[in-house]
Amino acid sequence: MTALLLVPLVLPFLAPMLARRTLDRLVPATALWVLTASALALAGACVAALGALVLTGLLKLPAFATLGELIHPLRTPSDYFVLPAAVAATGVLTLSVWTLLRSAFVQARAFRTARTQADRRPAAGDLCVVDSPHPDAYALPGRPHRIVVTTAMLRSLGPAEREALFAHERAHNRAGHHYFLAVAEIAAHCHPALRPTRDTIRLAAERAADEAAAEVTGDRRLIATAIARAALAGHASPPTRPDLAPAATTGPVPQRVTALLAPSPGHSRVRRRTAFLLVACTVLSVAAGTAGVVDFHHEVEIAQGEESP
């Protein structure tokens, strides 16, 4: 049981490398779904494994075994390892919950502030212009969706580049990319190895919006130019937007510009197979975590006298 529960704690360390490979080999919109679903499944398997380790350690103590209506404390083959593992798992879970709640509070407050500021200003359709000397533009989810842009950003771009930038931000809102970013943020608090994967998911969201905007405008070079000029304009000043609000100037902009200007490499069957190594890793992690939890439940039933070993 214990060995199975360790698998979901180890496999996420492969996720950053496999996530980058997945993004390179799949269409960005498809890669975004695969990366986000994999990160969520890996995080869920990790939390389930940690929870099972914590409960295993607790039920080995007579007081908690009595509360759990066990006839005798839980018995495991590796007693000398389980208790330290349970203590470590308790610490990791506590820290994860604390950082996640703190991040959720900060992000909720930032979204509420941004939404209040946007609602106070007159909007032209979904476009909200904020008078600010700092160039910035981002997609603000909610009802209704808003594209928030500062006057400094408008002055930094030409008319065609502004429309290209708006097309990018509208693609974010239309596809609901803020949900993907929220899932990536949650996963990053469940396992430290999923933090680089969070950055890859953000890049996948930007690449997906780049491609969607290029389809709308029909000019990939224009999208690349607008993104590059917007990023250069906003480079000197820190953004004031919420961290989970998608924006055209986030992520490795040179990499995105290169992808827009380069000819499409195609997505052969071999490339797709290589990309789905992340899916295989995720399935293995979930399967091992599920088997470990089932084994833990079986041991609890034995300790309760409901089933013979």
Side-chain angles (χ1 to χ4, degrees):
M1 174 186 70
T2 305
L4 287 173
L5 293 177
L6 292 179
V7 173
L9 306 181
V10 175
L11 283 182
F13 287 102
L14 299 176
M17 176 189 66
L18 296 177
R20 290 191 297 269
R21 183 175 296 182
T22 299
L23 180 56
D24 290 340
R25 286 161 172 78
L26 292 180
V27 175
T30 304
L32 179 60
W33 278 98
V34 173
L35 292 173
T36 307
S38 297
L40 182 61
L42 288 170
C46 174
V47 170
L50 289 172
L53 286 173
V54 171
L55 290 176
T56 300
L58 289 177
L59 293 179
K60 291 182 69 65
L61 304 176
F64 286 97
T66 301
L67 289 176
E69 299 181 352
L70 273 61
I71 297 176
H72 55 77
L74 197 65
R75 296 168 183 169
T76 57
S78 51
D79 288 346
Y80 292 104
F81 173 77
V82 168
L83 286 178
V87 172
T90 302
V92 171
L93 277 178
T94 302
L95 181 62
S96 297
V97 171
W98 165 247
T99 58
L100 178 59
L101 291 177
R102 184 178 61 180
S103 175
F105 175 77
V106 171
Q107 292 301 321
R109 184 174 58 183
F111 266 114
R112 187 166 55 250
T113 300
R115 191 74 209 185
T116 301
Q117 291 176 348
D119 290 340
R120 287 175 179 173
R121 299 178 183 275
D126 63 347
L127 185 63
C128 177
V129 179
V130 177
D131 187 12
S132 172
H134 304 295
D136 198 10
Y138 59 91
L140 183 63
R143 295 185 179 181
H145 293 319
R146 294 285 188 222
I147 305 300
V148 180
V149 61
T150 64
T151 52
M153 180 62 80
L154 292 177
R155 290 192 296 266
S156 302
L157 303 176
E161 293 166 346
R162 294 174 190 168
E163 292 302 322
L165 183 66
F166 299 157
H168 175 99
E169 304 302 353
R170 288 190 178 102
H172 278 311
N173 278 335
R174 187 166 54 250
H177 286 164
H178 53 284
Y179 292 118
F180 295 89
L181 300 185
V183 170
E185 183 69 19
I186 292 172
H189 289 279
C190 296
H191 196 291
L194 295 178
R195 293 172 188 171
T197 305
R198 171 184 56 188
D199 298 334
T200 306
I201 291 174
R202 292 190 70 92
L203 175 58
E206 296 304 326
R207 287 281 295 113
D210 291 343
E211 296 296 331
E215 289 183 8
V216 170
T217 61
D219 191 340
R220 299 178 67 85
R221 182 173 293 275
L222 175 61
I223 298 298
T225 302
I227 291 172
R229 293 194 62 179
L232 287 174
H235 179 70
S237 58
T240 58
R241 59 180 177 267
D243 290 341
L244 297 184
T249 56
T250 57
V253 173
Q255 181 179 340
R256 292 166 51 201
V257 170
T258 300
L260 282 167
L261 298 179
S264 176
H267 300 279
S268 65
R269 183 175 299 178
V270 175
R271 291 173 65 87
R272 290 196 296 267
R273 286 176 180 173
T274 305
F276 280 104
L277 286 175
L278 177 61
V279 176
C281 175
T282 303
V283 171
L284 179 58
S285 178
V286 172
T290 302
V293 171
V294 170
D295 193 15
F296 163 74
H297 183 262
H298 176 69
E299 295 294 334
V300 171
E301 287 184 332
I302 293 175
Q304 288 176 331
E306 297 178 4
E307 186 175 332
S308 59

